[in-house]
Structure formats: structure tokens, C-alpha cells
């Protein structure tokens, strides 16, 4: 009975970690693709309203929120249909993926910087909530592009040393 409960707790912990990671990746992806898509659509619509900073920032953070929901839902569905071994393997690979961790770090730093800088630059041009959340979305994209530029310039993250797993037998 206790072993069954432990296995279920391990499955839930792995699923939770992978869902949170996919929500983060969904936010990053949608923060990158939403602003150019919205700007393109808004420039192609004739007579339906101009492209404004307020609308662009609102679209950015709402796109990021959609990425969070979509990433979490897809990963939850995938994880609930996977075996325990597959989940554990995917979680361990995600934990030791230094390139992904560095991309997350750059995206987080960019989000925090732009969440503070965007309101100071565009204070009179948009609502406060759009300035903060939209600025965080734009900063996430900028941080992720910084990670890509560093990797392309030869600054590759170090390969981790994965400790061996001791068997119970």
C-alpha cells in the first residue's frame, strides 16, 4: 500500500514539474510570436483602428497568458498518458538541460527589466496593467533572443555531469 502511494506521489511530482516547465515555455513562445503577428494583422486591417502601444502591449501579455494555458494543458494531457518511467526520464532530462535553464534565466531577467522599464518609457501611452504585463512579455522575448545570440556567438552553456542512479536491488 505504501509503495503504491509513493509511486503515485512520484508521478504527481513529475507531472507537476513538467506542466510548470511547459507553462513557462508556452509563455516564452507566445511572448515571442504574439507582437509581430499582432502588428502584422493590425497593419493589414484598414480602417479598424491604428496600431497603438496600448494595444500591442495588451496583445503581448494576453498572448503570453494563452501560451501559459496552452502549454500547461498540452503537457498535462501528455503526462497523464505517459508511463512513470517516461515521466521520470523526461523530468531528469529537463532538470539537467543547461541550455533550457539558461534560456529561462535570460527570459526571466528580461521580463523583470522590461516590466520596470516599459512603464517608465511609455507611461502616458498605455494603461498601467498593460505596461507592466506587456513589458514583461516583451522582455521575455528580448531575454530569449539574448540567449539565442549568446549561443550563436559561441558561448555555449557547459554540459552537466549527471550523477549515476543507484539501483535498489
Amino acid at each position: 500500500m505504501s509503495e503504491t502511494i509513493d509511486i503515485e506521489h512520484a508521478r504527481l511530482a513529475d507531472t507537476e514539474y513538467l506542466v510548470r516547465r511547459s507553462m513557462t515555455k508556452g509563455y516564452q513562445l507566445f511572448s515571442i510570436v504574439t507582437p509581430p503577428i499582432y502588428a502584422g494583422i493590425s497593419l493589414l486591417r484598414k480602417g479598424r483602428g491604428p496600431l497603438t502601444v496600448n494595444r500591442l502591449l495588451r496583445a503581448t501579455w494576453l498572448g503570453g497568458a494563452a501560451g501559459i494555458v496552452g502549454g500547461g494543458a498540452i503537457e498535462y494531457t501528455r503526462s497523464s498518458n505517459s508511463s512513470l518511467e517516461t515521466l521520470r526520464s523526461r523530468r531528469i532530462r529537463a532538470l539537467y538541460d543547461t541550455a533550457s535553464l539558461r534560456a529561462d534565466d535570460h527570459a526571466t531577467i528580461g521580463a523583470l527589466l522590461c516590466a520596470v522599464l516599459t512603464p517608465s518609457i511609455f507611461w502616458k501611452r498605455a494603461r498601467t496593467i498593460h505596461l507592466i504585463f506587456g513589458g514583461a512579455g516583451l522582455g521575455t522575448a528580448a531575454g530569449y533572443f539574448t540567449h539565442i545570440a549568446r549561443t550563436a556567438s559561441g558561448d555555449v552553456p557547459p554540459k552537466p555531469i549527471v550523477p549515476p542512479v543507484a539501483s535498489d536491488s
Side-chain angles (χ1 to χ4, degrees):
M1 177 77 172
S2 176
E3 186 174 318
T4 306
I5 292 173
D6 289 342
I7 290 173
E8 190 58 32
H9 284 299
R11 179 179 188 76
L12 289 173
D14 291 344
T15 300
E16 177 189 354
Y17 177 81
L18 291 170
V19 167
R20 280 188 291 123
R21 183 173 180 274
S22 290
M23 291 170 78
T24 301
K25 295 300 180 186
Y27 179 75
Q28 290 171 0
L29 174 67
F30 276 68
S31 291
I32 291 169
V33 300
T34 301
I37 289 174
Y38 179 75
I41 289 172
S42 133
L43 291 173
L44 291 176
R45 293 185 317 186
K46 295 181 178 157
R48 305 247 341 245
L51 176 65
T52 64
V53 172
N54 188 52
R55 290 180 182 180
L56 181 68
L57 291 173
R58 180 179 57 212
T60 301
W61 78 266
L62 289 176
I68 290 171
V69 172
I74 289 169
E75 183 57 46
Y76 182 78
T77 303
R78 183 178 180 194
S79 295
S80 62
N81 294 325
S82 297
S83 68
L84 182 64
E85 294 79 20
T86 304
L87 282 177
R88 179 55 45 123
S89 171
R90 287 181 52 225
R91 181 178 182 180
I92 290 171
R93 271 186 281 140
L95 282 170
Y96 288 103
D97 186 3
T98 55
S100 177
L101 292 173
R102 188 168 85 168
D104 291 347
D105 290 346
H106 281 98
T108 302
I109 292 166
L112 291 173
L113 284 173
C114 285
V116 174
L117 291 176
T118 304
S120 66
I121 296 169
F122 297 114
W123 185 253
K124 300 273 186 186
R125 303 198 186 279
R127 296 183 59 192
T128 306
I129 191 165
H130 302 320
L131 287 168
I132 295 170
F133 291 151
L138 292 176
T140 298
Y144 196 80
F145 285 134
T146 301
H147 163 71
I148 291 171
R150 283 187 66 184
T151 303
S153 70
D155 185 13
V156 181
K159 296 287 182 197
I161 300 171
V162 180
V165 179
S167 63
D168 293 336
S169 50

